[in-house]
């Protein structure tokens, strides 16, 4: 598809490459060239070059002088760190969201949960990952803390990478846990919200560790 028909902005190019890394379209160690990426996304090399710089800063790619740019590998230690940080931040955000969320935010969370359950039932696990990231970003926004929301949104992109090969059973359980989170927010119960999110994260972390042998 041509650049003129796609008209992807630099942030969109960055997001597209990041999504392809998360989904495993680009595998760890794979060399990424500006030429091939520009052709894939129908853009010039300039936004690709900008995107690769951003993705290197985020840790999704590595650049080696005179050699090239390669997809990074998420190490077990880095995954463990991400899971631990998430376990501290998100329950705090959920407790605040129980008191500060707007009706619109609660409605959006319920809508995303319904879409997630439908995607799982249909076997569309690629879509589940994106919906899951969006659910946790809206939950973070509902905390009413710009700082907390920014941190969790940044974290969610790496967490999506950690869970890129989600187990089908866990994906089903995960969205039912999202229903419990919505119920806690609707009840305006901060301690319940904190608890259900902490349990949700613990279950997800346990599934990842069993799968990875951590």
């Amino acid at each position: 598809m041509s650049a003129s028909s796609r008209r992807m902005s630099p942030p969109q190019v960055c997001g597209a490459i990041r999504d392809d890394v998360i989904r495993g379209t680009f595998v760890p160690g794979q060399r990424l060239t500006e030429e091939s990426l520009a052709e894939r996304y129908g853009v010039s090399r300039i936004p690709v070059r900008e995107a690769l710089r951003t993705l290197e800063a985020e840790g999704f790619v590595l650049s080696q002088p005179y050699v090239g740019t390669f997809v990074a590998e998420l190490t077990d230690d880095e995954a463990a760190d991400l899971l631990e940080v998430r376990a501290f931040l998100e329950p705090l955000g959920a407790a605040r969201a129980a008191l500060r969320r707007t009706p619109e935010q609660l409605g959006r969370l319920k809508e995303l949960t319904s879409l997630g359950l439908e995607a799982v039932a249909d076997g569309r696990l690629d879509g589940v990952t994106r919906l899951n990231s969006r659910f946790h970003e809206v939950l973070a926004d509902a905390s009413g803390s710009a700082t907390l929301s920014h941190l969790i949104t940044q974290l969610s992109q790496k967490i999506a990478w950690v869970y890129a090969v989600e187990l089908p059973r866990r994906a089903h359980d995960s969205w039912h846990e999202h229903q419990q989170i919505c119920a806690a927010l609707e009840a305006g119960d901060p301690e319940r919200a904190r608890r259900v999110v902490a349990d949700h994260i613990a279950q997800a972390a346990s599934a990842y560790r069993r799968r990875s042998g951590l």
Side-chain angles (χ1 to χ4, degrees), residues 139-178:
L139 180 60
D141 287 340
S143 72
S145 168
T147 299
L148 193 57
S149 177
H150 177 70
L151 289 172
I152 293 174
T153 297
Q154 281 190 316
L155 186 67
S156 71
Q157 295 167 351
K158 280 292 188 71
I159 290 295
W161 199 13
V162 172
Y163 294 137
V165 190
E166 186 62 87
L167 296 174
R169 185 198 63 78
R170 176 61 206 152
H172 182 271
D173 292 347
S174 177
W175 285 99
H176 282 288
E177 290 160 14
H178 286 179

Side-chain angles (χ1 to χ4, degrees), residues 91-102:
L92 171 62
R96 292 187 177 185
L99 299 175
R100 301 177 180 179
R101 57 84 183 166
T102 65

Side-chain angles (χ1 to χ4, degrees), residues 4 24 27 49 55 65 73 75 79 94 96 104 117 123 132-133 149-150 156-157 165 167 171-172 180 192 208 211-212:
S4 59
V27 299
R49 190 175 303 129
L55 293 171
E73 180 177 2
T75 68
R96 292 187 177 185
E104 292 76 17
L117 287 168
N132 183 69
S133 294
S149 177
H150 177 70
S156 71
Q157 295 167 351
V165 190
L167 296 174
H172 182 271
Q180 296 173 18
R192 179 181 168 192
Y208 172 79
R211 183 176 67 232
S212 303

Side-chain angles (χ1 to χ4, degrees), residues 27-49:
V27 299
Q30 180 176 344
R31 188 168 185 261
L32 302 177
T33 67
E34 293 179 6
E35 294 85 355
S36 64
L37 294 173
E39 181 178 358
R40 176 179 176 82
Y41 303 114
V43 297
S44 72
R45 291 172 58 179
I46 294 174
V48 170
R49 190 175 303 129

Side-chain angles (χ1 to χ4, degrees), residues 115 118-129 131:
L115 291 172
E118 290 174 7
V120 171
D122 294 341
R124 294 181 282 109
L125 296 186
D126 281 350
V128 170
T129 300
L131 288 168

